[in-house]
Structures are given as C-alpha cells and as structure tokens.
Amino acid sequence: MLNIWRGSYLTREKEVFLRWPTVAEHIYGQILMNTWLSDHEQGLYDGTGQMQLLPAETDNVFILPQAAVDYVLCGGSGYHEGKYRIFEQFQKQEGTDANA
C-alpha cells in the first residue's frame, strides 16, 4: 500500500491508503495522457526509451493519444458484455447523440 497524507507526519490533516494496483492504474493513465513527465523531461523523451538532445516542436492542440482511447474502450462500460454493446453501437454509425 501507498500511504499519502496532507500536513506534517505527526499532525496529519488527511490520510489515505492506496493499494498498489490503484497506484499503477493512475501512473499508467498519466503515461497514456503524456502527463507523467514534467514539461522539461517530456521534451527529452521520445517514447522509445531514448532521450533526445533537441525536443520536437509541438503545437498547442489537445490530442488524446490512441493508446489512451484503446485502453478505455477495452475496459468496457463496467457492465457484463458492455464493451461488445459499445462496439455494436459504434458500428451502427448513428451519430453523437445516439452514441451518447
């Protein structure tokens, strides 16, 4: 478990215990959303485990990485056979309102 608290150790204002699978899910989500590394570190990492000397130029457009989309869609809806119903709905190509 990971123990996180607010305030000093002896006079904690709030304390929470997180199980390691929960911590791993949060970290994995940050990696998929490209928020795990700081801006400086992110500019040096090219995603293959290699460091770049010169960071690539980027524009200010928000882009959801395909790996994040795939990860969420593979998880389904939280209901039995939910991911298959989601897949079938998108196959109908009915539009945003029907898909929601």
Side-chain angles (χ1 to χ4, degrees), residues 1-4 16-27:
M1 293 204 137
L2 176 64
N3 182 8
I4 301 174
V16 69
F17 293 89
L18 298 174
R19 295 172 43 98
W20 283 116
T22 303
V23 174
E25 286 289 319
H26 284 288
I27 291 172

Side-chain angles (χ1 to χ4, degrees), residues 55-97:
E57 291 186 26
T58 59
D59 50 15
N60 291 329
V61 176
F62 174 77
I63 297 174
L64 189 63
Q66 185 62 44
V69 174
D70 294 342
Y71 179 77
V72 171
L73 290 178
C74 287
S77 65
Y79 295 97
H80 180 69
E81 303 290 327
K83 61 184 165 187
Y84 300 112
R85 287 194 295 274
I86 292 170
F87 175 76
E88 289 170 359
Q89 177 61 38
F90 279 97
Q91 290 296 98
K92 295 177 189 176
Q93 299 181 355
E94 293 182 339
T96 304
D97 290 336

Side-chain angles (χ1 to χ4, degrees), residues 27-42:
I27 291 172
Y28 187 62
Q30 288 182 331
I31 291 170
L32 289 176
M33 296 301 296
N34 294 324
T35 58
W36 176 244
L37 300 174
S38 70
D39 290 340
H40 173 70
E41 294 167 327
Q42 200 167 25

